[in-house]
Each structure stands twice: as structure tokens, then as C-alpha cells.
Amino acid sequence: MTETEATSEAQPSPWSPLLIPIYRALWIAQLFSNIGTWMQNVGASWLMGDLGGNPAEVALVQTATTLPVFVVGLVAGAVADIVDRRKLLLSTQAFMLIAAAALALATQLDAITPVMLLALTFALGLGNAMNLPAWQAIQPELVPRPMLPQAISLGSIAMNVGRALGPAIGGLIVATLGAAAVFGLNAVSFVGILCVIGIWRRPKREGEREGALPAERLWGAVKTGVRYGRHSPALRAVLIRAALYVFPASALMALLPVVARNALHLGSGGFGILLAVFGAGAIVCAPVLPKARTYGVDRVVAGATLGTAASVFVMGFVHQVWLVASMLAVSGACWVAALATFNVSAQSVLPAWVRARGMGLYLLVLQGGLALGSAIWGLIATRDLSVSLGLAGAVCLLGSLGSLRWRLARDRVIDVSTLNYWPEPVITTNVSPDR
């Protein structure tokens, strides 16, 4: 029996984490929340066009969603490592509920403006930015470590089922009831997660027992997380590879509303269907990822990068709806393959005491790349949409060369359970040369 075959046989079923009651409840709540989030994204992007926004302003909707992670990602990771993650999740989910409700109310009263839309979208992104590191860090607390790759893949399935259903539902609701109804339903979608987190009683983390870890303050915790990322070659490789992928790939989602409206001449319903096709490709891909990773995570990411580049080129230069939709299905599969692989690789090289901060670094790179890329490709698209997408596809192809220099660690090789916190060494210059 080969090593690959033995590893494959030893892996749990892709659906096994759903046998754990609390994980199952959170997964279902996450699914409905993701549907609401994608309905919100469709409503916000389309509403910006209805308000007269140009391609750069439409792309800024995605920037406003992702930029907060770049702004507060490190702080969010540090906070999630030094406070009760359950209470933090409750606070962030409640904040996002309030922001979504305010957006719904402003839209319903016809008081919404492009600036207000971006500001409230930014507020939702800010809540998500504070939420994400804690959400990522509790995954190993919900399932046994051997099930972690499957749990992350199931999280991707929940995200992409939401990506498939949310846009289609959102486009239909925008076309019939208006954007305010979409924003209101998104606010309601946060209630499920609030209820499940509210009844969950989390176990103590590794190293959380009294006296096991020194007390940390916020700024010290941030510096420690950055230091770990700087000195961990395995984590550093994940961060660089993620940046090389998401910066050009951000053009796909940022400019799809412009392609749908201006190049394909579709309405909000057609735009929602394109996003649904993207999500359907991701759903098909997610269950087979654990098997695919046994053939090499670098091969998975390289293939996903090439598929994404091809999809971006097609969006830029082909104006046939069926062909664009077909490549969106391919890009959906590639998107989840790349991001789920980066996520598993990052979590697998992080010990418990710095897990949220490490994931904060990862999310900072991921969302920062999406925010920066969306803004840049949107600005270029104001002059020429095809040139913008063509450049993004070319940069994506060049980024695939990163696998030659920065290889991802295989998640079963590294045992991080024995890695402990180390303090910053104290350097003194007040010592005589003789000593």
C-alpha cells in the first residue's frame, strides 16, 4: 500500500464532523448566515449601480467589505487569543445585526447614498473582521484534530452553498421587493448564530489552565503574533502564497457586477444566477478536497490558480453568457480549492496559544489582498474593463510561480501541540564591555 493510499484510508469521512451536535448546530446557523451575507452582497453591489455608481464605486463595495480585516485583523486575532472567544463572537454577531438593520432602514426610507452604503458596508465588514479570527480559532475546539480538514471543508461548503443560494435569492428579492428587503433578511440571519453561540459552553483551550500561560496585554499579544508569523517559515509560506493568489483573483468578484450589467446586459436576477453558478462550482469541489490534498497541496493550489486565471481572461474578452457562466463554475471550484487549502495549511502550523493571532495574520493578508486588488482593478476598469481583467489574469498566472519558492507544509507532518509561548528576550545595553 502506498503512503497516499494509507493516508486516504485513515482520513475520516468528509461529513463526519456533522455527527458532533454543537458543530452541526453551528454549521446550520453559519449556512443561513452565509446565505444572508451573499444576499447582502448582491443587494449592495446592485444598489450601488442603481445609485449611479461607476465601475470603481461598484468595486469599492467589495473593498468596503474586505478592507476592515486589513485594518484590524492583527488586533482582532490578539483580542481573540486573550479574551473569551464565546463572548467576543456574541458581541461581533450582535454588532453586525445592528449594522445590517440600519442599512435596511436607511434604504427603506430612501435615505441611502453611495457614501452611506459604503460606510454601512464597511461597518458590517468591521464586525466580520473582529469575528473571523475567533470563528476560525474555535474550529479545533469543536472537532477532534484528525477531523479538522474535514470541518474546514464543511465550512467551505456552508459558505459556498450560501454563495450559490444567496445570490439567486437576493437577485430575485432585489428585482421584486427591493434592496431594503435583502438587507433586512441579512439582519435576521445573524439571529441563528447568536442563539447557538449563546447556549454553547466551550471547553478550556490547550494551555488555558491556570498558570499554563503568562497573562498577555493587547499590544504585547499583537507583537507576539507578528513575531511568530515572522519566524515561522511554514506560516510565512502560507501568507505569501495566499497574497499571490487573492490579489489578482479579487478582480473576479469585484468586477462581475460590471461585466453582468455592461458587457452581458443582464439584470439583477441574471447577476444573481451568475453568482449562483460560481457557488455551485464551489459546492461540487468542497467534498472532494480532502482526497485531492493527498496528491499534494501545492498541486491543488497551482491547478486552482491556473483555473482562476483562465476564468478571469474569459470574463474580460468573451461576452457570451453561457461561456462566462461555465467558467464561473470552474472558478468557483478553484476559489474554494485554493482558500480551503490555505486555511487548512495555516491552522495546521499554528499552536493553540497563538492560533487566533496567526489566523488574524492570514485573514489580514487574505482580505487585504482582496480589498487592495478590488480597488486597483476597479480603477483600471473605469478606463477599460477588458484591460483590467486581462492584467488581473496575467498577474494570476505569474503568481502561480510562487509554488517554486514557497511550498506549503503538509498538514500531517507538523505537530504544533508542543510549541509553547516564549517571551520577547530582554536586551540591555547597560553592560560594561569587560563583563
Side-chain angles (χ1 to χ4, degrees):
M1 181 181 295
T2 66
E3 180 186 2
T4 297
E5 292 170 342
T7 303
S8 177
E9 290 181 1
Q11 289 184 338
S13 161
W15 308 100
S16 53
L18 291 179
L19 298 176
I20 301 172
I22 188 62
Y23 180 86
R24 182 169 62 247
L26 271 178
W27 187 85
I28 294 172
Q30 180 190 14
L31 172 61
F32 282 101
S33 181
N34 284 331
I35 291 173
T37 296
W38 281 100
M39 290 168 57
Q40 152 82 29
N41 290 345
V42 169
S45 297
W46 203 259
L47 179 60
M48 180 61 80
D50 288 342
L51 293 173
N54 59 37
E57 290 173 322
V58 173
L60 281 176
V61 173
Q62 178 164 294
T63 299
T65 302
T66 55
L67 183 62
V69 177
F70 185 76
V71 175
V72 302
L74 287 177
V75 173
V79 170
D81 268 333
I82 62 178
V83 304
D84 188 318
R85 290 173 186 162
R86 175 178 169 274
K87 294 179 180 177
L88 178 60
L89 289 170
L90 288 171
S91 300
T92 54
Q93 292 292 325
F95 177 82
M96 287 188 285
L97 187 156
I98 293 170
L103 182 55
L105 182 61
T107 306
Q108 182 63 37
L109 296 176
D110 221 9
I112 196 73
T113 64
V115 172
M116 186 183 298
L117 176 59
L118 289 175
L120 289 172
T121 301
F122 184 87
L124 275 165
L126 188 62
N128 192 44
M130 293 301 297
N131 175 82
L132 277 174
W135 185 269
Q136 297 282 353
I138 68 168
Q139 300 302 309
E141 301 176 19
L142 299 171
V143 299
R145 185 173 180 82
M147 290 185 183
L148 183 57
Q150 284 72 25
I152 292 173
S153 292
L154 280 172
S156 296
I157 290 175
M159 177 183 296
N160 289 292
V161 168
R163 192 193 297 268
L165 297 180
I169 297 171
L172 178 63
I173 294 175
V174 168
T176 55
L177 301 177
V182 168
F183 301 147
L185 288 173
N186 182 44
V188 173
S189 73
F190 293 111
V191 174
I193 292 181
L194 280 168
C195 292
V196 178
I197 294 292
I199 64 175
W200 175 46
R201 294 297 178 264
R202 57 185 291 264
K204 285 186 177 295
R205 294 175 286 171
E206 305 167 47
E208 198 176 43
R209 297 178 302 277
E210 184 177 355
L213 289 177
E216 293 184 84
R217 296 184 182 276
L218 179 60
W219 180 238
V222 170
K223 291 195 297 182
T224 301
V226 173
R227 187 167 71 249
Y228 186 90
R230 190 171 71 245
H231 294 292
S232 170
L235 180 59
R236 193 165 61 244
V238 176
L239 300 179
I240 293 172
R241 293 289 297 281
L244 291 175
Y245 177 78
V246 300
F247 174 72
S250 64
L252 198 71
M253 288 292 100
L255 296 178
L256 183 58
V258 182
V259 171
R261 185 189 292 268
N262 297 345
L264 303 179
H265 308 292
L266 299 175
S268 59
F271 172 52
I273 291 173
L274 289 181
L275 283 176
V277 171
F278 181 92
I283 293 169
V284 171
C285 174
V288 302
L289 269 180
K291 175 66 176 179
R293 278 194 289 263
T294 63
Y295 296 100
V297 292
D298 285 295
R299 291 180 181 177
V300 171
V301 173
T305 303
L306 294 176
T308 301
S311 301
V312 173
F313 280 128
V314 168
M315 277 180 52
F317 299 102
V318 178
H319 297 156
Q320 294 178 325
V321 176
W322 68 270
L323 188 52
V324 171
S326 299
M327 291 308 296
L328 279 172
V330 172
S331 62
C334 294
W335 184 269
V336 73
L339 296 194
T341 300
F342 292 141
N343 197 311
V344 171
S345 298
Q347 297 229 30
S348 299
V349 299
L350 287 168
W353 63 269
V354 77
R355 183 174 291 125
R357 278 165 283 184
M359 293 309 296
L361 277 172
Y362 165 71
L363 292 168
L364 183 150
V365 169
L366 186 72
Q367 303 292 344
L370 287 171
L372 180 62
S374 298
I376 290 175
W377 305 126
L379 285 173
I380 297 174
T382 57
R383 293 184 175 271
D384 194 304
L385 178 61
S386 295
V387 168
S388 179
L389 289 166
L391 285 174
V395 173
C396 199
L397 285 176
L398 290 174
S400 66
L401 300 177
S403 61
L404 302 177
R405 174 66 178 84
W406 298 283
R407 301 187 66 83
L408 301 176
R410 300 183 70 176
D411 56 7
R412 68 176 184 277
V413 171
I414 300 177
D415 178 13
V416 296
S417 61
T418 59
L419 299 181
N420 295 317
Y421 169 84
W422 76 97
E424 183 76 36
V426 178
I427 308 297
T428 179
T429 57
N430 191 24
V431 178
S432 68
D434 293 338
R435 295 181 61 190

